[in-house]
Amino acid sequence: MYASTAKFTAAMERNGIRYSYQGVHSNTKCEIVIVSYASESMEVIPVVFYFTENCEDVAIYVFDLARVPSEKVAAILDVINCQNRKNRYVRFYLNPKENTIELAADACFRESDVGEICLELLWRVVAVCDNAYPEFMKALQA
């Protein structure tokens, strides 16, 4: 396990957070850790962490927040842009292959603060998804 991944998983264990370690992804050489959170507006928010081999950064994703019918793409793009203006540390986008809304975030760190930074980002990602999801659903149901 990469040092950065180990420090994050240790921080989660200290805080009683359950996670799933997926190992090294063969195409990217990133180690993958998935944390599934329940929230007020969503049944589950699966937050996926991709730790790089150099142990200096992480990419964070939440895939498939919502499926977007073709006729709603223009409307949902306005809501995505609005959310991107509101939220400084993350970005939402529409995956054109799947027509799904996704969230992405990136962070760099030093070896000494990996656990704390990634825990903070986990909580922020969950909070942002929890707040944005009702707005996405409102636009999709309009």
Side-chain angles (χ1 to χ4, degrees):
M1 187 179 285
Y2 299 153
S4 55
T5 311
K7 288 186 178 194
F8 177 48
T9 57
M12 286 192 293
E13 288 169 5
R14 283 192 303 274
N15 284 277
I17 299 170
R18 288 185 291 176
Y19 62 89
S20 173
Y21 173 72
Q22 303 290 305
V24 177
H25 187 273
S26 59
N27 291 345
T28 64
K29 294 192 177 162
C30 291
E31 282 189 319
I32 300 171
V33 176
I34 301 173
V35 184
S36 295
Y37 252 88
S39 76
E40 289 184 25
S41 63
M42 297 176 67
E43 188 174 314
V44 67
I45 302 171
V47 184
V48 184
F49 289 79
Y50 290 85
F51 288 91
T52 60
E53 195 172 14
N54 69 12
C55 298
E56 294 178 353
D57 59 277
V58 66
I60 305 166
Y61 294 94
V62 178
F63 300 108
D64 201 18
L65 273 166
R67 295 213 176 272
V68 180
S70 300
E71 66 274 9
K72 299 284 187 171
V73 167
I76 207 68
L77 286 174
D78 286 340
V79 179
I80 287 172
N81 286 337
C82 180
Q83 289 299 319
N84 285 338
R85 286 190 302 274
K86 280 184 187 178
N87 296 291
R88 185 172 159 196
Y89 298 102
V90 302
R91 60 197 176 280
F92 289 99
Y93 60 93
L94 182 68
N95 177 335
K97 290 182 181 177
E98 305 291 329
N99 261 24
T100 57
I101 300 169
E102 299 180 356
L103 173 144
D106 296 295
C108 55
F109 40 71
R110 292 185 178 81
E111 189 174 329
S112 61
D113 54 7
V114 174
E116 294 76 23
I117 286 175
C118 290
L119 279 177
E120 178 71 24
L121 286 168
L122 172 63
W123 295 322
R124 286 180 188 233
V125 164
V126 168
V128 166
C129 285
D130 199 33
N131 290 327
Y133 185 76
E135 298 299 318
F136 294 139
M137 290 299 100
K138 197 181 311 178
L140 291 173
Q141 294 168 359

